[in-house]
Amino acid sequence: MSVRNGNLVGRVAIVTGASSGIGLATAKLLAGRGAKVALVARRKETLDKAVQQITLSGGEAIALGVDVTDQAAVDAAAETVKARFGHVDLIFNNAGAMLPGAIDERKLAEWERQIDLNVTGVMRVIHAFIPQLVAAAEEGATVDLINTSSIAAQYVYPYFSVYTATKAYVSHLTRNLRVELGQKNIRVSMIEPGIVATELQGHVTFQGAKDWLAQAEKTIEFLQPEDVAEAVGFLVSQPRHVNLQQITIMPTKQGM
């Protein structure tokens, strides 16, 4: 990664879930195109290494060890970024968890974890940063709020009931926010990826889902995090008056 494409120079971005996978790849891409980037996740040491890589490549970034389900911590992060870089004008709201399981196993803690992170975490980031997005738009900046949903928001998958429900929430939230915030010159978009080769698969413990993923890997070339990052880069590089509401990005062989 090097600062070879300057089309995001002057922009200030925050990426949640930035310690691995899609979030990390996107943070590196945005920094490589000239944006100042705040990387947010719970694993501060991992973020520090990513920031070091970005800095050595000529980019500018900071690491913020934050749990996005903690409103006070997210609010503090918003103030830190503002003090360091100025108003945030690009949010990639990406932190999430995927914990499939049979509903009759009644794993309430796993249900709550997914809802707290995939739904409430998304809302907490919006709550903390929306004043900065509005201010940046009023100053004439190009402004983006991008939420990570999933193809799972569109289809029905056995054993993924809670996860798919949380992603359906994110997708419909994004559609509604686009109507509301577009009037304020804030672009709102969502990314709905299919299967991506990230550590999310490593969090799966339910055998039925593990078997399904293992079989899928034999027949489908999974997306890489960098593939999704490129889609984000495409979204935020559009002219200020252009809002791509939704990008569904799938492995070629994945049907649904």
Side-chain angles (χ1 to χ4, degrees):
M1 190 273 294
S2 62
V3 183
R4 60 189 180 279
N5 183 336
N7 68 351
L8 297 180
V9 170
R11 299 199 64 178
V12 177
I14 179 168
V15 177
T16 66
S19 59
S20 66
I22 294 170
L24 177 58
T26 302
K28 289 181 176 180
L29 181 142
L30 297 176
R33 296 185 181 181
K36 299 174 182 177
V37 184
L39 285 73
V40 172
R42 291 176 300 161
R43 293 177 290 181
K44 179 65 161 54
E45 291 184 1
T46 304
L47 294 179
D48 287 337
K49 293 178 182 177
V51 167
Q52 184 179 27
Q53 293 173 354
I54 289 170
T55 302
L56 289 173
S57 298
E60 189 169 358
I62 57 173
L64 299 173
V66 173
D67 182 342
V68 297
T69 66
D70 181 342
Q71 188 66 61
V74 179
D75 290 343
E79 291 304 313
T80 298
V81 179
K82 181 180 176 181
R84 177 72 176 270
F85 293 146
H87 289 137
V88 167
D89 57 42
L90 196 170
I91 294 176
F92 185 42
N93 209 357
N94 172 72
M98 182 179 71
L99 302 170
I103 207 71
D104 59 4
E105 290 189 348
R106 302 171 65 206
K107 290 190 175 181
L108 184 59
E110 291 188 357
W111 303 352
E112 290 177 336
R113 174 62 181 158
Q114 291 174 95
I115 293 167
D116 287 347
L117 191 53
N118 299 357
V119 174
T120 311
V122 166
M123 297 306 303
R124 292 193 184 284
V125 171
I126 292 170
H127 179 274
F129 284 92
I130 194 66
Q132 293 189 42
L133 297 186
V134 171
E138 289 175 347
E139 293 165 359
T142 299
V143 179
D144 288 285
L145 168 60
I146 302 171
N147 297 319
T148 298
S149 182
S150 169
I151 191 62
Q154 299 186 31
Y155 295 106
V156 174
Y157 298 93
Y159 310 122
F160 284 80
S161 300
V162 177
Y163 176 75
T164 59
T166 64
K167 290 305 183 178
Y169 175 96
V170 171
S171 290
H172 203 53
L173 169 74
T174 304
R175 295 185 188 102
N176 282 272
L177 288 180
R178 193 196 71 79
V179 175
E180 181 177 348
L181 296 178
Q183 305 306 310
K184 300 179 184 294
N185 281 315
I186 298 172
R187 305 188 300 198
V188 185
S189 307
M190 61 180 153
I191 301 285
E192 292 186 327
I195 303 176
V196 185
T198 73
E199 64 178 34
L200 278 184
Q201 283 82 42
H203 299 166
V204 174
T205 59
F206 181 71
Q207 192 61 48
K210 290 176 70 174
D211 291 344
W212 184 87
L213 288 167
Q215 184 60 38
E217 195 169 12
K218 295 177 182 178
T219 58
I220 298 170
E221 183 179 355
F222 289 4
L223 296 173
Q224 296 301 309
E226 292 76 15
D227 299 324
V228 183
E230 287 288 348
V232 176
F234 179 72
L235 281 175
V236 301
S237 298
Q238 297 305 302
R240 186 171 185 254
H241 69 286
V242 176
N243 184 178
L244 297 178
Q245 173 181 294
Q246 175 179 347
I247 290 183
T248 300
I249 177 170
M250 301 280 286
T252 299
K253 288 188 176 181
Q254 183 183 355
M256 59 178 285

